[in-house]
Amino acid sequence: MVRKTKGRSKRPTLVDVAREAGVSAITVSRTIRSPEIVSETARRKVEEAISRLGYTPDPAASALASHSTSTIGLLVPSLTNNVFSDVLRGVYEGVEGTRFFIQIGNYRYSALEEEGLIRNFLSQRPAGLIVSSMDQTPAGRALLESASCPVVQIMEISPGAVDMSVGFDQLAAVRSGARHLLDCGYRRPGFISARMDPRAQRRLATFREFTASAGVLDDRRIITTPQPSSVGMGRYLMEQLLSRAPDIDAVMCNNDDLAVGALMEAKRRNIPVPDQMGICSYNDIEMVRQMVPALTAVATPRHEIGARAIAMLLAEIAQPGSVDQRHLDLGYELMIRESTRPV
Amino acid sequence: MVRKTKGRSKRPTLVDVAREAGVSAITVSRTIRSPEIVSETARRKVEEAISRLGYTPDPAASALASHSTSTIGLLVPSLTNNVFSDVLRGVYEGVEGTRFFIQIGNYRYSALEEEGLIRNFLSQRPAGLIVSSMDQTPAGRALLESASCPVVQIMEISPGAVDMSVGFDQLAAVRSGARHLLDCGYRRPGFISARMDPRAQRRLATFREFTASAGVLDDRRIITTPQPSSVGMGRYLMEQLLSRAPDIDAVMCNNDDLAVGALMEAKRRNIPVPDQMGICSYNDIEMVRQMVPALTAVATPRHEIGARAIAMLLAEIAQPGSVDQRHLDLGYELMIRESTRPV
DNA sequence: TTGAAAGCGCTAACAA
DNA sequence: TTGTTAGCGCTTTCAA
C-alpha cells in the first residue's frame, strides 16, 4: 500500500541552473530576486536554464541564508466566528500574487495561547505579523515589541498599539446602535452577548454606561454567556431575556448570529418585530440584511480591516519605515433596516 | 517612526546550547527530537541549558538539513464558504499540540490556480498535503502523484484518489434529499444552485437523473448561477424559480445559505412552508436548524472530514505506510425538520 | 549512547 | 554587472 519512496528527489539547485546557463550561482539568485540589476543577456540565459531544468527555489535554504522567510503570521481568536472569516478574506486577497503566504494561528480567545503562538511564530522569523487584539499578556506584548518584523494589530483603535494598527472605535460603534434604539422610541432595551472576551466585555460596559446615562439601564435586561456565539445561542439568550424581563422592548445583540437567533425566537413567539421588539445587530454579515424583516445593524469594516492591514504590512516589509499612516481608523456605519421602527 | 533595527538578534543556536551543556551539538539535536535515545544525565543537562539560554530551534535550518518541514498544506476552493470553515476547524483541532502547522491555499474554484498552488506548496517540501477536490488538471494530478509526501483528498469518495481520501457519497446524499421531497408528497420539485463547480454540477446531474426516473423532472424548475452562493442569492434564485414555474411545490437547495434565502423569500411572499412549499437544504450548518420553521437538510460530515483527514495524514507522516484504511466514507444523514411536511 | 565531519541550497559581503 | 568566499543552523552519516 505504500506509494512513496521518500524520493531523494534530485531536484535541481541554483548551482545546476548556473552551470546550465554558464554563469555563477549568485547571478541566478539575482535574476530571480531582482532581475533589474542583471544584464539582459545573462537574464535570458538564466531564465531559459530555469525553465529547461524546471527549477524551483528552496525556501528553506533561502530563509536560512537570509534570516527571513516569506511567511506572514495571522493570529485570530476563532476560526468559526464569521467576523474573522471576512478579515481573513481581505488578508488573503492582499497576498495573492505576492511571494508571501499566510500562516494562521488560532488562539481560541486565550491570551495565554496567544502568547505561545506569538513565541512560536516569531521563532520562524516571519516577514510580518498580524494580531487580532490589543489584549496580549505582558510577556506576549513584550515579544511583539521586540519583534524584528513589522506588526499590525487589528480590529480596534488604541493609542497603545505596538507598531501599526487598523481598526475602528468599537465602543462608539456599540453606542451608535444603542442610541438608535432609543431614538426609535424603545425605552426598555436589553443586551445579549456570548463569548465574553475582553472586547465583548468592553462593549457591554459601554452599553451599560450609555443606557445608564440615558436613564434606561436595567441589569435584568442584560444577559451574557462565556460560551461561543451561535444562532441557537441567540435564541436561548432571547428566551432567557424574555422570561427575566418580559417588558423588554428592544435588544442590542453583540454579534450577528445572536441577532438572527433573537429574531427567530421572536418569530416563534409571534412577537412582532419591529413593532413590539426592536433588534439591532453588530457586524452586519451578509445574511443579516436578507432576513425578513431585514435586521438593523452596526456594520463593521471587517474585510477592509484585513485588506488594509496586509497592505500596510507588505509596504513596511518592502521598505521599512515607509508607512506614514501607522494607525488607521476605518469607522463603522449604522445600517437602519426593518427590525427597528423609526420614530 | 521606524521602530525596528533588523536586530542581528544573537539568538542562541544549537552549538551555544551544546557548549553550555558540555555536550556536542548532535546530542542537543537528539534531545529535542528523540529524547528517548539520550541518556538521562545528558538529557537533563541539555534541557537546563535550553531553558537557561531560552533556545528555540530554527525551522529553516532544520528544513534545509532534513529535507522536510513541519508545514501541512491545505488547499480549499473558498474561504467564504461555511462548508470549508467547518473542515478547517477539524483540521486545526487535529494539529493542535503537534509540531505541525497548517498553511492554507485558496484556489477560488479554479483548477488552474489549484495546480499553481500544488506546485508552489510542493516546492516548500511540506510534510503532507490535504486537497479539497478530485478535479485537478492533469498536470496538477501528476504533481500530486509524484509528491514525496502523503496526500489526502477530501470531500468526495472516488476510486481514483491519488493516495488517501476522506469524504462521503455526494451523489447519494443529494438523492436522499430529493427522494425525501417526493416521499413527502411534493410532486413539482425544483433545484437551485450557485457557484457551479464540478461538484455542484455532479449533484445537479444526479438530481436531474433522479427526478427524471421518478417522472417529475422539469427543467423550468432548475435554476443555477456561476456566482457565489449567499443568502441573498438564495432569495434571488427562489424569486426566479417562482416566476418561471409558479406551480413549484418544493425546492432542493444545493447549499445552506441558498436554503435560508429561499425560506426568507417564501416568508416575504407569504408562501407557507412546508404546506405549500417544501425546502430541503444541503450541508446543514448550525443556523439551518435554528430557522423558523427549522429546515430539513442533508447533513454532511464536514468537521469530521477535516478531523479524520488530518489524523490520517499525521499517522502516515509519523510512519509511512502505517495507515491501512486509506479511503474513508463518512456518510451523510438526512435531518427531517419542519420545512418539509411528512406524508 | 555519543561525537566528528560534511554538507543541505541559498545569500551577504566583499572584490573585481 | 558579475563573481568568489564564507557561512546561515541544523541533520545525516559514519565511526567510536
Coordinates of all heavy atoms in Angstrom, one line a residue, chain C:
Chain C
dT1 P 20.6 4.0 25.1 OP1 19.5 4.5 25.9 OP2 20.5 3.7 23.7 O5' 21.7 5.2 25.2 C5' 22.4 5.5 26.3 C4' 23.6 6.2 25.9 O4' 24.2 5.4 24.8 C3' 23.4 7.6 25.4 O3' 24.1 8.5 26.2 C2' 24.0 7.6 24.0 C1' 24.9 6.3 23.9 N1 25.0 5.6 22.6 C2 26.2 5.7 21.9 O2 27.2 6.2 22.4 N3 26.2 5.0 20.7 C4 25.1 4.4 20.1 O4 25.2 3.9 19.0 C5 23.9 4.4 20.8 C7 22.7 3.8 20.3 C6 23.8 5.0 22.0
dT2 P 24.3 10.0 26.0 OP1 24.7 10.6 27.2 OP2 23.0 10.4 25.3 O5' 25.4 10.1 24.9 C5' 26.8 10.2 25.3 C4' 27.7 10.3 24.1 O4' 27.3 9.4 23.1 C3' 27.6 11.7 23.5 O3' 28.7 12.4 23.9 C2' 27.6 11.4 22.0 C1' 27.8 9.9 21.9 N1 27.1 9.2 20.8 C2 27.9 8.7 19.8 O2 29.1 8.9 19.6 N3 27.1 8.0 18.8 C4 25.8 7.8 18.8 O4 25.2 7.2 17.9 C5 25.1 8.3 19.9 C7 23.6 8.1 20.0 C6 25.7 9.0 20.9
dG3 P 28.9 13.9 23.3 OP1 29.8 14.6 24.3 OP2 27.6 14.5 23.0 O5' 29.7 13.7 22.0 C5' 31.0 13.0 22.1 C4' 31.6 12.9 20.7 O4' 30.7 12.0 19.9 C3' 31.6 14.2 19.9 O3' 32.9 14.3 19.4 C2' 30.6 14.0 18.8 C1' 30.6 12.5 18.6 N9 29.3 12.0 18.1 C8 28.1 12.1 18.7 N7 27.2 11.5 18.0 C5 27.8 11.0 16.9 C6 27.4 10.2 15.8 O6 26.2 9.8 15.5 N1 28.4 9.9 14.9 C2 29.7 10.2 15.0 N2 30.6 9.9 14.1 N3 30.2 10.9 16.1 C4 29.2 11.3 16.9
dA4 P 33.5 15.7 19.0 OP1 34.5 16.2 20.0 OP2 32.4 16.6 18.6 O5' 34.3 15.4 17.6 C5' 34.5 14.0 17.3 C4' 34.9 14.0 15.8 O4' 33.8 13.4 15.1 C3' 35.2 15.3 15.2 O3' 36.2 15.1 14.1 C2' 33.8 15.8 14.7 C1' 33.2 14.5 14.2 N9 31.8 14.4 14.5 C8 31.0 15.0 15.5 N7 29.7 14.8 15.4 C5 29.6 13.9 14.3 C6 28.5 13.3 13.8 N6 27.2 13.5 14.2 N1 28.7 12.6 12.7 C2 29.9 12.4 12.2 N3 31.1 13.0 12.7 C4 30.8 13.7 13.7
dA5 P 36.7 16.3 13.2 OP1 38.1 16.1 12.9 OP2 36.2 17.6 13.8 O5' 35.8 16.0 11.9 C5' 35.7 14.7 11.4 C4' 34.9 14.7 10.1 O4' 33.5 14.7 10.5 C3' 35.1 15.9 9.2 O3' 35.2 15.4 7.9 C2' 33.9 16.8 9.5 C1' 32.8 15.7 9.8 N9 31.7 16.2 10.7 C8 31.8 17.0 11.7 N7 30.6 17.2 12.3 C5 29.8 16.4 11.6 C6 28.4 16.1 11.7 N6 27.6 16.7 12.7 N1 27.8 15.2 10.9 C2 28.6 14.7 9.9 N3 29.9 14.9 9.7 C4 30.4 15.7 10.6
dA6 P 35.4 16.4 6.7 OP1 36.3 15.7 5.8 OP2 35.7 17.8 7.1 O5' 33.9 16.4 6.0 C5' 33.3 15.1 5.8 C4' 31.9 15.4 5.2 O4' 31.0 15.8 6.3 C3' 31.9 16.5 4.2 O3' 31.0 16.2 3.2 C2' 31.4 17.7 5.0 C1' 30.4 17.0 5.9 N9 30.0 17.7 7.1 C8 30.8 18.6 7.9 N7 30.1 19.1 8.9 C5 28.9 18.5 8.8 C6 27.7 18.6 9.6 N6 27.7 19.4 10.7 N1 26.6 17.9 9.3 C2 26.7 17.1 8.2 N3 27.7 16.9 7.3 C4 28.8 17.7 7.7
dG7 P 31.0 17.0 1.8 OP1 29.9 16.5 1.0 OP2 32.4 16.9 1.2 O5' 30.8 18.5 2.3 C5' 29.7 19.2 1.8 C4' 28.3 18.5 2.0 O4' 28.2 18.3 3.4 C3' 27.2 19.3 1.5 O3' 26.2 18.5 0.9 C2' 26.6 20.0 2.7 C1' 27.0 19.1 3.8 N9 27.4 19.9 5.0 C8 28.6 20.5 5.3 N7 28.6 21.2 6.4 C5 27.4 20.9 6.9 C6 26.8 21.4 8.1 O6 27.3 22.1 9.0 N1 25.5 21.0 8.3 C2 24.8 20.2 7.4 N2 23.5 19.9 7.7 N3 25.3 19.8 6.2 C4 26.6 20.2 6.1
dC8 P 25.5 19.0 -0.4 OP1 25.4 17.8 -1.3 OP2 26.1 20.2 -0.8 O5' 24.0 19.4 0.1 C5' 23.1 18.4 0.6 C4' 21.9 19.1 1.3 O4' 22.3 19.6 2.6 C3' 21.5 20.4 0.5 O3' 20.4 20.0 -0.3 C2' 21.2 21.4 1.5 C1' 21.7 20.9 2.8 N1 22.8 21.7 3.5 C2 22.7 22.0 4.8 O2 21.7 21.7 5.5 N3 23.7 22.7 5.4 C4 24.8 23.1 4.7 N4 25.7 23.8 5.3 C5 24.9 22.7 3.3 C6 23.9 22.0 2.8
dG9 P 20.4 20.2 -1.9 OP1 19.2 19.5 -2.4 OP2 21.7 20.0 -2.4 O5' 20.1 21.8 -2.1 C5' 18.9 22.3 -1.5 C4' 19.1 23.8 -1.5 O4' 20.1 24.2 -0.5 C3' 19.5 24.5 -2.8 O3' 18.6 25.6 -3.0 C2' 20.9 25.0 -2.5 C1' 20.9 25.2 -1.0 N9 22.1 25.2 -0.4 C8 23.2 24.4 -0.7 N7 24.2 24.6 0.1 C5 23.8 25.5 1.0 C6 24.4 26.1 2.1 O6 25.6 25.9 2.6 N1 23.6 27.1 2.8 C2 22.4 27.3 2.5 N2 21.7 28.3 3.2 N3 21.7 26.8 1.4 C4 22.5 25.9 0.8
dC10 P 18.6 26.5 -4.3 OP1 17.3 26.6 -4.7 OP2 19.7 26.1 -5.2 O5' 19.1 27.9 -3.6 C5' 18.2 28.6 -2.8 C4' 18.9 29.4 -1.7 O4' 20.0 28.6 -1.3 C3' 19.4 30.7 -2.1 O3' 18.4 31.7 -1.9 C2' 20.6 30.9 -1.2 C1' 20.9 29.5 -0.6 N1 22.3 29.1 -0.9 C2 23.3 29.4 0.1 O2 23.0 30.2 1.0 N3 24.5 29.0 -0.1 C4 24.8 28.2 -1.2 N4 26.1 27.8 -1.3 C5 23.8 27.8 -2.1 C6 22.6 28.3 -1.9
dT11 P 18.6 33.2 -2.5 OP1 17.3 33.8 -2.4 OP2 19.3 33.1 -3.8 O5' 19.6 33.9 -1.5 C5' 19.1 34.0 -0.1 C4' 20.2 34.7 0.7 O4' 21.4 34.0 0.7 C3' 20.6 36.1 0.2 O3' 20.9 36.9 1.3 C2' 21.8 35.9 -0.7 C1' 22.5 34.8 0.2 N1 23.5 33.9 -0.5 C2 24.7 33.6 0.1 O2 25.0 34.2 1.2 N3 25.5 32.7 -0.6 C4 25.2 32.1 -1.7 O4 26.0 31.3 -2.3 C5 23.9 32.4 -2.3 C7 23.5 31.7 -3.6 C6 23.1 33.2 -1.6
dA12 P 20.9 38.5 1.2 OP1 19.7 38.9 2.0 OP2 21.1 38.9 -0.1 O5' 22.2 38.8 2.1 C5' 22.4 38.2 3.3 C4' 23.8 38.5 3.9 O4' 24.8 37.7 3.2 C3' 24.2 40.0 3.6 O3' 24.9 40.4 4.7 C2' 25.1 39.9 2.3 C1' 25.6 38.5 2.4 N9 25.8 37.8 1.1 C8 24.9 37.9 0.1 N7 25.2 37.1 -0.9 C5 26.4 36.6 -0.6 C6 27.3 35.7 -1.2 N6 27.1 35.2 -2.4 N1 28.4 35.4 -0.6 C2 28.6 35.9 0.7 N3 27.9 36.7 1.4 C4 26.8 37.0 0.7
dA13 P 25.5 41.9 4.8 OP1 25.5 42.3 6.2 OP2 24.7 42.8 3.8 O5' 27.0 41.7 4.2 C5' 27.8 40.8 4.9 C4' 29.2 40.8 4.2 O4' 29.0 40.1 3.0 C3' 29.6 42.3 3.8 O3' 31.0 42.4 4.1 C2' 29.4 42.3 2.3 C1' 29.6 40.8 1.9 N9 29.0 40.4 0.7 C8 27.8 40.8 0.2 N7 27.4 40.2 -0.9 C5 28.5 39.4 -1.2 C6 28.8 38.5 -2.3 N6 27.9 38.3 -3.3 N1 29.9 37.8 -2.2 C2 30.7 38.0 -1.2 N3 30.6 38.8 -0.2 C4 29.4 39.5 -0.2
dC14 P 31.6 43.9 4.1 OP1 32.3 44.1 5.4 OP2 30.6 44.9 3.7 O5' 32.7 43.8 3.0 C5' 33.6 42.7 3.1 C4' 33.9 42.2 1.7 O4' 32.7 41.9 0.9 C3' 34.6 43.2 0.8 O3' 36.0 42.9 0.9 C2' 34.0 43.1 -0.5 C1' 33.1 41.9 -0.4 N1 31.9 42.0 -1.3 C2 31.8 41.2 -2.4 O2 32.7 40.3 -2.6 N3 30.7 41.2 -3.2 C4 29.8 42.1 -2.9 N4 28.7 42.2 -3.7 C5 29.8 43.0 -1.8 C6 30.9 42.9 -1.0
dA15 P 37.1 43.9 0.1 OP1 38.4 43.7 0.8 OP2 36.5 45.3 0.0 O5' 37.2 43.2 -1.3 C5' 37.3 41.8 -1.4 C4' 37.4 41.4 -2.8 O4' 36.0 41.4 -3.4 C3' 38.2 42.3 -3.7 O3' 39.0 41.5 -4.6 C2' 37.2 43.1 -4.4 C1' 36.0 42.1 -4.6 N9 34.7 42.8 -4.7 C8 34.2 43.8 -4.0 N7 32.9 44.1 -4.4 C5 32.7 43.2 -5.4 C6 31.6 43.1 -6.3 N6 30.5 43.8 -6.2 N1 31.7 42.1 -7.2 C2 32.8 41.4 -7.4 N3 33.9 41.4 -6.6 C4 33.8 42.4 -5.7
dA16 P 40.1 42.2 -5.4 OP1 41.3 41.3 -5.4 OP2 40.3 43.6 -5.1 O5' 39.5 42.1 -6.9 C5' 39.2 40.8 -7.4 C4' 38.4 41.0 -8.7 O4' 37.1 41.7 -8.4 C3' 39.1 41.9 -9.7 O3' 39.1 41.3 -10.9 C2' 38.2 43.2 -9.8 C1' 36.8 42.6 -9.4 N9 35.8 43.5 -8.9 C8 36.0 44.5 -8.0 N7 34.9 45.2 -7.7 C5 34.0 44.7 -8.6 C6 32.6 45.0 -8.9 N6 32.0 46.0 -8.3 N1 32.0 44.3 -9.9 C2 32.7 43.3 -10.5 N3 34.0 42.9 -10.3 C4 34.5 43.6 -9.4

